[in-house]
Amino acid sequence: MPSPAAALARIHRYRFHGAWALAAPPDAVYARLEAVEDYPRWWPQIREVRRASGTSGTARIRSLLPYDVTVDVRSTRHDPAARVLEIAMTGDLEGWARWTVLPHGPAACTARYEQDVEARKPLLRHLALPARPLFAANHAWMMRAGRRGLRALLAAGTTAGAAGI
């Protein structure tokens, strides 16, 4: 039987993953994903991204539920050859997130997203047990909106901005 501390840690931990099939060249998708300062332009729930240095910054996120999540992010892997972007997060969420862009020929790919975080924001911790399904649905809704925004951006043929955090 797990200890009470281990059980609480499990309640506050979230693992998300998804895969976005995109009709765009893998390098173009990777370029858009590494331009994190542009996320608020195409991903409505990413409200703000501020760069602190070449490899770190802060992001403010707000999805359907009426609360902001603010995280400090630091790049832990930036690998254009493998098309992998990974960050460490601290703040309202603590953990990591990773994008991996997998080619399906020269003009299509899958952008795979993985996230493993512990909720640190007091509101999220307090509501962890009763609202967990709602938090998961909120995240899924946010990811669908991000996929739609990225698809629209890629279809418009816009080019990437500055390299990502």
Side-chain angles (χ1 to χ4, degrees):
M1 175 175 233
S3 72
L8 274 177
R10 212 171 35 249
I11 289 169
H12 299 127
R13 187 172 187 181
Y14 296 86
R15 291 183 180 138
F16 298 110
H17 57 87
W20 298 355
L22 301 165
D27 289 334
V29 171
Y30 182 84
R32 293 310 310 159
L33 293 173
E34 75 176 341
V36 295
E37 290 170 320
D38 291 339
Y39 279 34
R41 294 182 187 152
W42 57 268
W43 198 336
Q45 294 76 24
I46 309 289
R47 303 298 175 97
E48 180 180 18
V49 175
R50 290 187 319 261
R51 183 178 296 278
S53 73
T55 60
S56 66
T58 301
R60 186 173 57 84
I61 304 158
R62 183 179 184 132
S63 192
L64 191 59
L65 296 177
Y67 60 84
D68 286 358
V69 171
T70 302
V71 291
D72 293 321
V73 298
R74 179 181 48 82
S75 176
T76 56
R77 184 171 179 195
H78 182 253
D79 186 343
R83 297 185 194 96
V84 175
L85 297 165
E86 186 173 306
I87 59 167
M89 291 182 273
T90 58
D92 292 341
L93 301 174
E94 190 165 314
W96 59 270
R98 177 186 312 123
W99 284 109
T100 306
V101 179
L102 305 167
H104 297 294
C109 65
T110 297
R112 186 174 64 209
Y113 181 78
E114 301 165 273
Q115 182 180 21
D116 188 334
V117 294
E118 180 181 337
R120 304 300 299 161
K121 185 178 183 102
L123 173 67
L124 300 179
R125 292 177 74 81
H126 179 72
L127 297 174
L129 194 54
R132 188 175 188 84
L134 190 57
F135 292 160
N138 190 58
H139 186 271
W141 181 80
M142 178 183 145
M143 295 303 290
R144 283 191 302 274
R147 182 180 60 216
R148 279 192 306 271
L150 183 57
R151 282 181 174 163
L153 184 70
L154 292 165
T158 58
T159 58
I165 293 174

